[in-house]
Every structure is written in C-alpha cells, then in structure tokens.
C-alpha cells in the first residue's frame, strides 16, 4: 500500500500514486505516469506536485495501451519548468507508436514565462454536475482570482456537457478486460477484487456498446472544441475531495464503489484527448494538498504549461512538512 506523504493515513491517489508520493517526498526528482482517466493528475493533486496529461499522441506509447486512445503518458515533477523540460524529452519520435504526433517544433521552455495576460479563461468549480467539497471549490476560486490579477479575463462558465461516466465505463472496463486476457483462471482468481469486478463487466459489452461510447467521445470533443473557441483555458478542481483513507478505491461513505465516482473532473478530458495539467493551489483545513486543473484545447500543451508557470510564480511549490 502506498501512502500520502502529507499524511500517511491517507491515499496518494492513483494509479500513479507511487510516482506522485516519491516525487513529493524527494525520493526522485522526476517520474513518468500513465493517465487513462486521471492517473497522473489525481496523485499530483493529492500529493501536491505538478503534472500534465498532454494532448493524446504528444508522448509516444509502446507497447500500446489496452485502453487505446484514452491512454496518455506525462511527466510528474515538483516544478513547471521541470515538467516542460521532461515533456521535451518524452515528446521525441518513436516509430512503434502509429498514433504519435510529430515532435514539437520548439521546446516547451520557449515562452514558458510569458504569462497569461490577455487570455480568456473559464472557471467551473463543478462542470455543471459534480459534487465538490466547499473548501476545494473556494481554493480553486481563489486560484482563478490570481489569473485575473495576472491580466487574464476570467469568467464563470460550464462547458455544457453531462457526466459521461457510463460511456467512460464501457471504454475503461473493456480495456481492463483486454489487459488481463492472457491470465489463466488461477491467476485471475488472485486479482484485486475491484479489478476483477470491472473485468467481468467489461466482458459483457459488445461492439455496438463500444461504438456508442466512442460516439459520446466524439460529441464531447465537438462540445469542447466549440467551448475553446470562446475560452483559451478552463480551470476546475483536479479532484473534488481531499485525500481519503489509504488502501481504499473510494471513500468509505461514497455512494459509488468505483474510483470514477469521485473523479468527475479528470476522465472527461481523456475522452476528448485534451491537455490537462494539475498544480497545487492550496491546502485543506487539515493540511492536505488541493489541486487546480488547467485544461486547454487539443495541441495547446505549451499554453497550458505557460498558465501553470504563471500561477506557480505567484504561489511557489511547497514540500510536505511531515
């Protein structure tokens, strides 16, 4: 079991929770995480570090993920500059990934300190449907004021989509089933019970279910494309709750047993393949980190990092005090 550096009784999030905890503690300066539904941003938020889930294809994947084109990889570090430098390295070419983008024409350090003056930024503390702890919503709202003070135009605006969790489950649970298809029955009996449950559910879906979920992805992408014609960036909480008890998939009092029940801000942007970063934006009353998610249109990774850097300069990173 991996524990949160800020409070060992709490979870660091996942699935790249080990990476998030190690970077926060200083055990390693850099880590790579994979994110098919929030797995670099969730631990970054819970552990108080910086990360970006870049545009799909920005970082080549090999071997290919069973979760297909929802799976991103990204750097996890303590500063935005380190994140940008690491993304430079990770964005190199790899012919084994047929869906990888061409390497960027310039370094992600170029223009990193240019600030956010003149940008149009939307703030949504609940995406129009999510439940959020009030102190986390307050912290994200305060963070948005920082962007306004730095010269951006900030407005409250929801993107206007409903929770796509059921379609995400079709895509995610199908991927989980694919990921364990090579196991024997005896090996499957040793799986984590939660994983075994979603594998069994994933096996119930047919091609039509998968195509319908893919159609939801396309509509969601169209919605966000139109949204970003008005707004350069979207600010949300990364996670709407504080880190909960270590060793659990969901809080003990949660209405959903699955991790998707408390991560409504992350998985939609895997479905749309947009860049989405998480940076620390304060602490809960009991001293646990709060994450701010900064989302941009596809291929705007440099803009997202620039906004992260602008906020970081105003509110420098802190290492766990315990």
């Amino acid at each position: 079991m991996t524990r949160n550096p800020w409070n060992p009784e709490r979870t660091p999030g996942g699935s790249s929770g080990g990476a998030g905890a190690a970077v926060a503690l200083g055990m390693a300066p850099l880590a790579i995480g994979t994110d098919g539904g929030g797995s670099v941003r969730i631990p970054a938020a819970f552990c108080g570090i910086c990360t970006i889930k870049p545009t799909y294809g920005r970082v080549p994947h090999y071997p290919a993920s069973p979760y297909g084109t929802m799976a991103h990889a990204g750097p996890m570090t303590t500063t935005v500059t380190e994140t940008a430098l690491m993304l430079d390295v990770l964005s190199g070419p790899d012919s084994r990934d047929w869906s990888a983008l061409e390497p960027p024409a310039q370094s992600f350090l170029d223009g990193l300190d240019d600030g956010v003056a003149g940008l149009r930024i939307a703030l949504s503390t609940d995406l129009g449907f999510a439940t959020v702890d009030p102190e986390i919503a307050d912290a994200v709202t305060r963070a948005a004021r920082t962007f306004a003070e730095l010269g951006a135009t900030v407005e409250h605006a929801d993107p206007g989509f409903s929770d796509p969790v059921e379609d995400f489950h079709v895509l995610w649970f199908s991927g989980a089933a694919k990921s364990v298809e090579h196991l024997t029955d005896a090996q499957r009996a040793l799986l984590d019970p939660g994983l075994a449950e979603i594998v069994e559910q994933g096996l119930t879906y047919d091609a039509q279910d998968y195509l319908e979920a893919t159609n939801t992805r396309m509509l969601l992408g169209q919605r966000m494309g139109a949204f970003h014609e008005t707004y350069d960036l979207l600010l949300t909480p990364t996670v709407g709750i504080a880190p909960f008890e270590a060793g659990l998939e969901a809080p003990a009092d949660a209405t959903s047993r699955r991790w998707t029940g408390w991560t409504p801000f992350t998985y939609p942007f895997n479905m749309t393949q947009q860049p989405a970063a998480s940076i620390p934006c304060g602490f809960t009353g009991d001293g646990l980190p709060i994450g701010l998610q900064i989302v941009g249109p596809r291929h705007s990774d440099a803009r997202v990092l620039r906004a992260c850097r602008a906020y970081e300069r105003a509110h420098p990173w802190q290492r766990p005090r315990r």
Side-chain angles (χ1 to χ4, degrees), residues 8-125:
E9 298 303 313
R10 306 295 182 92
T11 179
S15 59
S16 298
V23 169
L25 283 170
M27 294 170 64
L30 311 170
I32 300 173
T34 52
D35 188 316
S39 293
V40 298
R41 290 161 290 156
I42 296 165
F46 278 3
C47 295
I49 64 169
C50 176
T51 192
I52 185 170
K53 175 191 75 67
T55 300
Y56 178 78
R58 179 73 284 148
V59 175
H61 264 208
Y62 183 82
S65 170
Y67 299 97
T69 60
M70 290 198 304
H72 304 57
M76 303 174 72
T77 76
T78 57
T79 72
V80 178
T81 300
E82 290 171 336
T83 297
L85 280 166
M86 195 173 182
L87 191 56
D88 277 350
V89 175
L90 295 177
S91 296
D94 190 330
S95 61
R96 296 171 297 179
D97 185 349
W98 64 272
S99 62
L101 299 173
E102 286 290 318
Q106 60 188 29
S107 169
F108 286 106
L109 290 179
D110 295 343
L112 188 63
D113 287 318
D114 286 354
V116 295
L119 293 184
R120 300 163 298 172
I121 299 178
L123 166 65
S124 178
T125 56

Side-chain angles (χ1 to χ4, degrees), residues 31-320:
I32 300 173
T34 52
D35 188 316
S39 293
V40 298
R41 290 161 290 156
I42 296 165
F46 278 3
C47 295
I49 64 169
C50 176
T51 192
I52 185 170
K53 175 191 75 67
T55 300
Y56 178 78
R58 179 73 284 148
V59 175
H61 264 208
Y62 183 82
S65 170
Y67 299 97
T69 60
M70 290 198 304
H72 304 57
M76 303 174 72
T77 76
T78 57
T79 72
V80 178
T81 300
E82 290 171 336
T83 297
L85 280 166
M86 195 173 182
L87 191 56
D88 277 350
V89 175
L90 295 177
S91 296
D94 190 330
S95 61
R96 296 171 297 179
D97 185 349
W98 64 272
S99 62
L101 299 173
E102 286 290 318
Q106 60 188 29
S107 169
F108 286 106
L109 290 179
D110 295 343
L112 188 63
D113 287 318
D114 286 354
V116 295
L119 293 184
R120 300 163 298 172
I121 299 178
L123 166 65
S124 178
T125 56
D126 62 4
L127 289 181
F129 59 81
T131 300
V132 183
D133 187 304
E135 66 178 346
I136 291 176
D138 288 345
V140 169
T141 300
R142 289 195 301 272
R145 294 194 193 107
T146 296
F147 286 99
E149 293 165 359
L150 294 172
T153 298
V154 180
E155 301 174 356
H156 286 269
D158 294 327
F161 60 82
S162 58
D163 189 354
V165 66
E166 294 305 326
D167 291 288
F168 178 78
H169 281 170
V170 172
L171 300 167
W172 183 264
F173 296 171
S174 298
K178 177 66 176 176
S179 72
V180 302
E181 67 176 0
H182 64 287
L183 300 180
T184 66
D185 290 343
Q187 290 170 327
R188 288 189 181 218
L190 301 176
L191 290 175
D192 175 88
L195 176 58
E197 288 176 10
I198 68 169
V199 164
E200 289 305 311
Q201 188 168 341
L203 292 171
T204 68
Y205 300 130
D206 60 21
Q208 194 63 32
D209 296 323
Y210 198 90
L211 290 172
E212 187 60 37
T214 300
N215 185 62
T216 296
R217 286 187 74 180
M218 291 188 288
L219 294 174
L220 190 58
Q222 292 167 12
R223 168 72 68 174
M224 289 307 302
F227 182 81
H228 284 296
E229 288 184 348
T230 301
Y231 297 105
D232 297 302
L233 297 169
L234 169 65
L235 306 180
T236 78
T238 306
V239 186
I241 62 174
F244 49 89
E245 183 182 349
L248 300 179
E249 180 179 347
D253 59 352
T255 56
S256 171
R257 298 172 56 234
R258 298 278 80 93
W259 62 270
T260 46
W262 52 271
T263 58
F265 296 101
T266 55
Y267 55 77
F269 304 111
N270 292 83
M271 297 176 78
T272 61
Q273 303 185 339
Q274 295 172 245
S278 181
I279 54 173
C281 71
F283 297 91
T284 64
D286 55 357
L288 295 169
I290 297 171
L292 170 69
Q293 182 172 236
I294 303 177
V295 182
R298 292 175 75 242
H299 310 295
S300 67
D301 307 79
R303 184 191 308 164
V304 171
L305 287 170
R306 178 159 54 101
C308 290
R309 176 61 179 149
Y311 185 82
E312 179 189 59
R313 292 176 71 183
H315 301 279
W317 183 79
Q318 301 180 53
R319 193 174 291 284

